[in-house]
Amino acid sequence: MSLFLNLANLGEQLGATKKKLEHSALIGAYLKNIAPEEIAPASRLLIGRIFPESDARIVNISGAALNRVLENVVGAEIEWSGTAVDFGDAVAQWLTTRNWKPQGEPLQILDVYRTYEEIADATGSGSRARKDELLAGLFRRASVVEAKYITKQVSGEMRVGVSEGSLLDALVRNTEIPAATIRRANQLAGDVGAVAYAAIALGENGLQKLSLQLGRPLKPMLAQSAETVRDALQEIPPPVAFEYKLDGARVQIHKRGDDVKLFSRNLSDITASLPELAVQVRSEIRAQDAILEGEVIAIDAKGRARPFQILMRRVGRERDVETMQQEIPVQLFLFDCLYRDGETFLDKANAERWEILERIAGNVARVPRRVVENVADGENFLRAAREAGHEGVMAKNLQSPYTPGERGKQWLKLKPVHTLDLVIVASEWGYGRRHGWLSNQHLAARDENTGEFLEVGKTFKGLTDAEFKSLTPTLLELKTHQTRGTVFVEPRVVVQVAFNNIQRSPVYKSGVALRHARIVAFRPDKSADTIDTIQTLHAMMEREGG
């Protein structure tokens, strides 16, 4: 069995270089030299994922719990360094100052992984004490660098510059299996650990056995953005399918006879929270077995769409479901068919999949759709979608296959963009290629009554690497204090921020949060006292029905 220390040291090596080829070589050499049963868990842990995406288990360890356990194990109050870039780094720096030495048998990979499983399985009365006990057992046996990576994994802050994509690339480079074969296996399996095990231990034939399975969700196909209808039709030559882009939650539906399961876009099982949809699918879909995709929205008494944040009070909720069904009724709209009665349709054209969907959907609504031939027709359809209270439209290539987990230009989303002038009040140290830069910006609006700058969201999107790099020294000059990896700054840097919409937030003191915020420009011509106000954001949200 392999030592967990080797995995931790690999993390250190990966974090120290930005070279993709070096990443691939390091990952490949490591995975080829561990036991077959260690490959899947090690692969997941390497990218900061403990369980497969379709596995609902979570370790559910908070930062407070980590602090509590560490202080009990070490017997001293934690003192955080201001130079740490994340929680794991902070733990390592603190343990070093305490001259920490591990106790007991060295940790092995499967020791750690099985302990994570036990932590996830600990529920109900006494579960907090049990989780603390299990986590403390790991920390006692951990060296400083191992404690660093245990912290990274349970806190979800891996930050060594290795993503799922780079892990798959390493498998391609180190097995000589075609990239298309590995990518396809990952799309169908929904578990990079299973793909790594099959590629290394079983070879190409093993990968080909990872097929689509009812009850195991696929990663959803993703879309890129287009600014205008004209841009979309230049990217995808007409005829193009335009569909309403609903402000709802994407659902993947698996029907096996009378057994129906609903999965969210992040592959969580949400069936229990939306029982009426399972009943509808069971009674209406004209197929024994099927995998369908759709969007669920919250509706009012007149059947009109309600804001996304209202729907989120239902999705994933498993308590008081009957009451919530009355308070927040929902409607399902289907838009794709991926499988029916033994036949997989991923490689069939979008137009053909739509025809199959139309034949089997029964009385379940389909997303409003029109095949457009020109810009005027597309703009009319977009206008109709907006007037009906929806976000915008999706443009889809009629000849496109379904590519799970990939964000390509075969699907494009068109939504009107709102912008606000906001100020940066804090920033988090980046990781991967952004290591050493302040990259995740905390955005605030001004309260016109008190003059306070209140946070309304965070974003690391919109700026180029060069802009992030040049912004870092500016923010450091404005630094007031630092907590772990977050640097708080004087509210001086004004930015123009694009976003999709505004929702209520129980997290922020402002009471509102921006969805899909990204910085589009710096506004050196504006001072912080001229930025948009919290009152403006609340008014915009109310106009949108929030």
Side-chain angles (χ1 to χ4, degrees):
M1 294 295 101
S2 303
L3 295 175
F4 184 70
L5 178 61
N6 295 338
L7 182 67
N9 285 334
L10 174 62
E12 294 291 272
Q13 291 176 289
L14 293 168
T17 180
K18 298 177 182 179
K19 297 177 180 178
K20 292 183 179 180
L21 289 178
E22 192 170 342
H23 276 185
S24 291
L26 289 168
I27 294 168
Y30 173 78
L31 292 178
K32 284 184 172 181
N33 285 285
I34 59 177
E37 61 268 33
E38 296 171 329
I39 295 173
S43 298
R44 297 188 203 107
L45 294 178
L46 194 56
I47 61 173
R49 183 181 299 153
I50 295 176
F51 303 115
E53 286 183 278
S54 56
D55 190 326
R57 292 178 297 173
I58 55 173
V59 294
N60 196 24
I61 298 290
S62 66
L66 276 164
N67 285 359
R68 181 175 65 246
V69 170
L70 282 163
E71 288 182 347
N72 287 336
V73 167
V74 178
E77 185 175 343
I78 292 179
E79 298 175 359
W80 296 120
S81 164
T83 62
V85 298
D86 61 24
F87 202 173
D89 193 35
V91 166
Q93 291 186 20
W94 174 64
L95 290 177
T96 299
T97 66
R98 305 296 305 180
N99 295 315
W100 173 253
K101 301 296 181 186
Q103 307 158 30
E105 292 294 318
L107 287 171
Q108 297 178 353
I109 289 174
L110 294 183
D111 290 336
V112 176
Y113 194 79
R114 288 164 182 161
T115 301
Y116 290 160
E117 291 182 310
E118 288 187 69
I119 291 172
D121 292 339
T123 58
S125 177
S127 60
R128 172 176 150 170
R130 178 59 178 156
K131 287 175 182 283
D132 282 6
E133 177 187 4
L134 290 164
L135 188 57
L138 289 181
F139 279 127
R140 288 191 185 94
R141 296 169 60 187
S143 64
V144 169
V145 71
E146 288 173 311
K148 175 179 178 177
Y149 282 86
I150 290 170
T151 302
K152 283 175 171 287
Q153 288 157 5
V154 299
S155 67
E157 294 184 339
M158 192 59 179
R159 299 190 177 190
V160 296
V162 177
S163 64
E164 180 175 300
S166 53
L167 181 59
L168 295 175
D169 182 62
L171 294 177
V172 171
R173 294 180 184 277
N174 287 277
T175 63
E176 298 184 353
I177 298 172
T181 302
I182 287 178
R183 185 172 64 250
R184 179 65 162 206
N186 191 53
Q187 290 170 346
L188 297 175
D191 175 14
V192 72
V195 173
Y197 166 75
I200 292 173
L202 305 177
E204 190 167 356
N205 290 337
L207 276 177
Q208 291 172 348
K209 293 178 182 178
L210 294 175
S211 60
L212 182 150
Q213 292 183 16
L214 280 167
R216 185 176 68 193
L218 292 82
K219 296 181 181 182
M221 181 173 176
L222 304 173
Q224 292 194 20
S225 297
E227 294 294 326
T228 66
V229 170
R230 186 176 299 279
D231 291 340
L233 296 186
Q234 287 178 345
E235 192 66 50
I236 308 175
V240 179
F242 271 36
E243 297 172 1
Y244 280 11
K245 188 177 190 316
L246 310 181
D247 189 18
R250 191 165 174 178
V251 290
Q252 188 178 121
I253 302 161
H254 288 235
K255 179 182 184 294
R256 181 191 283 118
D258 289 336
D259 182 30
V260 176
K261 291 194 177 297
L262 309 175
F263 298 95
S264 67
R265 68 177 296 138
N266 64 4
L267 312 188
S268 298
D269 188 336
I270 56 173
T271 313
S273 64
L274 300 166
E276 66 270 51
L277 299 190
V279 170
Q280 184 184 26
V281 167
R282 190 178 298 117
S283 62
E284 291 291 341
I285 298 301
R286 297 167 183 167
Q288 176 69 14
D289 301 332
I291 299 177
L292 310 169
E293 273 217 288
E295 193 90 1
V296 57
I297 63 170
I299 55 174
D300 63 18
K302 295 183 179 180
R304 295 175 301 198
R306 299 172 73 184
F308 175 81
Q309 62 266 29
I310 293 178
L311 175 68
M312 286 299 96
R313 292 166 54 193
R314 286 237 22 212
V315 175
R317 184 183 182 125
E318 297 186 11
R319 299 175 62 183
D320 302 321
V321 172
E322 291 185 7
T323 300
M324 297 304 294
Q325 283 181 267
Q326 300 301 315
E327 293 181 4
I328 307 176
V330 298
Q331 183 174 1
L332 173 65
F333 291 85
L334 299 175
F335 61 78
D336 220 323
C337 179
L338 311 182
Y339 173 90
R340 182 200 61 192
D341 294 337
E343 188 175 2
T344 299
F345 303 134
L346 299 181
D347 294 326
K348 290 189 179 297
N350 175 271
E352 188 172 352
R353 299 198 309 275
W354 180 264
E355 290 177 2
I356 295 167
L357 177 65
E358 289 273 60
R359 291 199 297 269
I360 70 171
N363 291 319
V364 182
R366 271 76 80 200
V367 172
R369 173 175 165 123
R370 178 188 300 170
V371 176
V372 304
E373 299 280 354
N374 53 57
V375 172
D377 195 17
E379 289 180 341
N380 287 337
F381 191 77
L382 173 59
R383 189 177 305 112
R386 292 294 296 164
E387 289 174 352
H390 301 297
E391 281 192 315
V393 298
M394 296 289 297
K396 297 182 177 180
N397 187 334
L398 289 168
Q399 302 307 313
S400 62
Y402 190 96
T403 53
E406 293 190 6
R407 187 182 300 280
K409 294 184 178 181
Q410 302 303 311
W411 288 9
L412 301 173
K413 52 189 175 184
L414 292 86
K415 298 186 294 184
V417 176
H418 307 288
T419 63
L420 291 167
D421 291 327
L422 302 173
V423 68
I424 296 174
V425 293
S427 187
E428 297 170 17
W429 288 106
Y431 57 95
R433 76 172 193 276
R434 293 176 177 170
H435 180 76
W437 310 339
L438 289 169
S439 66
N440 196 19
Q441 314 302 334
H442 295 221
L443 307 168
R446 183 173 57 86
D447 187 324
E448 64 184 29
N449 297 322
T450 67
E452 285 184 278
F453 294 100
L454 302 180
E455 287 195 39
V456 295
K458 304 178 187 179
T459 187
F460 55 85
K461 296 181 178 180
L463 300 180
T464 65
D465 286 354
E467 287 171 325
F468 275 123
K469 193 173 183 179
S470 64
L471 177 60
T472 296
T474 300
L475 293 177
L476 289 176
E477 289 178 5
L478 300 173
K479 176 180 174 181
T480 60
H481 64 287
Q482 179 169 330
T483 304
R484 294 185 189 162
T486 302
V487 174
F488 294 85
V489 300
E490 297 176 31
R492 300 274 190 87
V493 178
V494 177
V495 288
Q496 185 179 33
V497 178
F499 61 97
N500 291 355
N501 51 37
I502 304 172
Q503 62 189 26
R504 296 188 188 280
S505 171
V507 176
Y508 291 126
K509 181 180 177 181
S510 65
V512 293
L514 304 180
R515 290 190 67 209
H516 305 302
R518 58 266 187 209
I519 296 172
V520 295
F522 291 103
R523 295 302 305 265
D525 56 319
K526 292 200 171 188
S527 59
D529 59 359
T530 66
I531 65 172
D532 285 294
T533 66
I534 294 296
Q535 287 73 19
T536 296
L537 272 70
H538 277 278
M540 292 175 67
M541 182 176 66
E542 294 301 327
R543 284 198 301 271
E544 293 181 359

